[in-house]
Amino acid sequence: MTTSAPTTQPPLLEALTSAFPTEPAPLGDEVRRLLATGVPTQKHEAFRYASLRKLRSKAFDFSAPSGAVDSPDLFVCSGLENRRLVFVDGMWREELSSLQTPSQDLTWDVGPSQLATAPEHHELASSDFFENLNQLGDTPFFHLQVAEGAIIDTPIHLAFWNTSSEETYAVRRGQVRLTVGKGARISLVTSTGGQGNYLSNHHLQFELAHGAEVQHYAIQEDPEESFLFDSQHVLCSEESKYSLVAIGFGTEITRNRYRVDLLGERAIANLRGTEVLSGQREHHKVITVHHRAPHCESNQHFKTILGEKSNASYDGMIVVDQIAQKTDAFQLGANLMLSEEARIHIKPSLFIHADDVKCSHGATIGQLENEEIHYLRTRGIPHAEARRLMIYSFAAEILMEIENAPLQNQFADSFLARLIRVEDSLSPAKIS
Amino acid sequence: MLEIKDLSISVENTPIIKNLSLTVRRGEIHAIMGPNGAGKSTLARSIMGYPGYEVNQGSVLLDDKDMTELEPEERATSGLFVSFQYPVEIPGVNNAEFLRMALNAKRNSQGLEELDPLDFDDLLTQKMDALHIDRDFKNRGLNEGFSGGEKKRNEILQMAVLDPKFAILDETDSGLDIDALRIVSSGVNQLANEQNGLILITHYQRLLNHIQPDHVHVLLDGEIVKTGGKELALELEEKGYDWLKQPSHS
């Protein structure tokens, strides 16, 4: 069976058609499935708030060669210079990586994707277009393994860098699977950035064995014109703990899909993040935390600062299975609007099938308080700086969750630098 | 010299301060007392240019320089300080770092070099020790989770660091227990000297047992209706404010 593509095919599907054959199976089947699903539009609930029409005015290319990477402007973590694994356009680049020798505690390998063949894949499969797009064909794959009982507290830095030399948007796909052995602990930084026009479509899959712990600090610094449709899937076994602190600045469209499956009893997931958005940047979070076992705990806490005509959303779903008694699930989205033209959408949803659980959610939307700014000004702090301090104060609660002090400072510095740019872009009339 | 001349302030078109004049010289301590709603806090806030307060007429002069048209931060760097009745909590902004920013803003305006963190820390430690303030204050967020008494002490610490020419303390005694009142008062007494002037705004005479004013003014309905020495405070304690509302006494 062949599917004839409609004549007014969206550019992303057009690129998909020319990059992947619809025959033979099994790849062909997957391609056809994606073509049949089609690129989502804002009519799809999971994509309601992102301005996906922007994808219609661009051209895409799945096989664009990588651009020059002589000096990628990677996020620099001081003290972690020798602990960096660099990925360019999804591919691990050993020669650019400062961490080159595996150890007993930490090993890695590359090769054909293991994600589709993992036993849990079918049960926990995603129906998300972009997650499925990531898994199509020979996506570059990297498997990082933390040995049982290993303790890696000095963070490992995974730096993702995307390139493109054409006006056409290069679609950059990559997969990283992190498996953390029983009782092991790892601290991890992921940074994303790049040059030129690209659509990033990366997938991270973290699998935590019994009692394993992952501290994940993520920073997205991609150029304004890029599209990010990245996803992350976290699978937590019994008594494991996953903690995320993510900071981001949005792009033309950034859509982060997070899925967390709490599979074993007493597993914990903490997802925290803050974003500061300027111009017409967009940042969308689509989060599903699924409690599949009893006595698990999940916390979501995100704070978004919106300037100018930025647009953000937080679609947070908590699912509690019938078996997942004594679940403790919490979700909070707080938003600070710096401009009348910015837009925020918050959509919490709870699906609770167990009867003995504690679940709550909340959302706040506010503006800077004149009284607070005035207080700072009466101590001699200039108006612009007083505003910045107040905005920083709003996000500080999230940044303070970064347990590694130098890293906390660096994330805070990047955040402040971006904040200054957002504030500078506001006209004086708007900050009176 | 701080001169408030014929000052009239309205808030949302309601006149609150009416033709008020008051002169405070360096080395003097003045107390302004009055019942609730007399306009005491409005006066204090307006001196720093509180947003939304309208100056209908008059001026505030600091050493002959008109403050009325200046931004709050310019008034602060010129040497005015007003302690807040309810200081704002700003989590995540380090108290010591904030104080350094504030002091450096003042030094910048005076053409002085900024203090680096180490020099500032020496200065701050010295001020904190003199005021018997726990050094733990340095590492906390600005007023974050502070008790009422701690906030008031932190205001006095800010005053000590910024070393203003004139300070207005707006109900610094409210909400303080006896011990906290003694600590805050002794801090204020340490800071008062021949080079600065102080206005204490208070409901109660008890603060004036700890800090001796040179002059006491009674504010009623936006006007100063009586001025006297510190014995006036005792008289008010005994008789209340009602007798001053009679036309014969105003």
Side-chain angles (χ1 to χ4, degrees), chain A residues 213-239:
Chain A
E213 192 176 336
V214 173
Q215 283 180 330
H216 180 193
Y217 306 120
I219 179 165
Q220 283 179 324
E221 294 187 305
D222 299 78
E224 183 162 6
E225 59 277 10
S226 58
F227 292 103
L228 272 59
F229 289 93
D230 295 332
S231 54
Q232 188 179 327
H233 189 188
V234 181
L235 300 98
C236 292
S237 307
E238 197 176 346
E239 291 177 349

Side-chain angles (χ1 to χ4, degrees), chain A residues 87 90-92 108-115 137-144 174-177:
Chain A
F87 300 80
M91 299 278 283
W92 175 53
W108 55 80
D109 55 83
V110 292
S113 174
Q114 301 160 357
L115 297 189
D138 304 325
T139 309
F141 178 80
F142 186 87
H143 184 194
L144 192 61
Q175 295 175 351
V176 172
R177 178 187 187 198

Side-chain angles (χ1 to χ4, degrees), chain A residues 81-99:
Chain A
E81 291 85 353
N82 294 319
R83 302 179 70 78
R84 191 154 72 192
L85 293 164
V86 178
F87 300 80
V88 176
D89 299 332
M91 299 278 283
W92 175 53
R93 296 283 289 264
E94 187 172 6
E95 79 285 9
L96 297 174
S97 301
S98 54
L99 183 63

Side-chain angles (χ1 to χ4, degrees), chain B residues 108-126:
Chain B
N108 274 331
S109 76
Q110 294 171 330
L112 296 171
E113 263 187 44
E114 292 195 355
L115 281 189
D116 66 35
L118 288 179
D119 287 342
F120 178 75
D121 190 62
D122 290 344
L123 173 88
L124 182 61
T125 307
Q126 182 201 326

Side-chain angles (χ1 to χ4, degrees), chain A residues 320-327 351-357 359:
Chain A
V320 181
D321 286 352
Q322 197 172 0
I323 191 178
Q325 299 294 355
K326 304 286 181 190
T327 284
F351 295 91
I352 303 168
H353 305 289
D355 52 15
D356 185 11
V357 300
C359 289

Side-chain angles (χ1 to χ4, degrees), chain A residues 370-372 374-385 389-390 392-394 396-397 400, chain B residues 48-51 71-73 76 81-82 84 88 90-93 98 101-102 105 143 155 158:
Chain A
N370 271 339
E371 168 105 17
E372 294 171 347
H374 177 71
Y375 178 70
L376 297 177
R377 295 177 75 188
T378 63
R379 300 302 180 249
I381 310 284
H383 193 177
E385 208 163 332
L389 276 178
M390 289 312 306
Y392 178 77
S393 163
F394 175 77
E397 193 181 356
M400 298 291 169
Chain B
M48 286 314 273
Y50 193 76
E71 300 292 345
E73 56 268 37
F81 179 90
V82 173
F84 276 45
V88 171
I90 306 185
V93 173
F98 164 71
M101 283 173 74
N143 293 327
E155 293 287 285
Q158 291 177 12

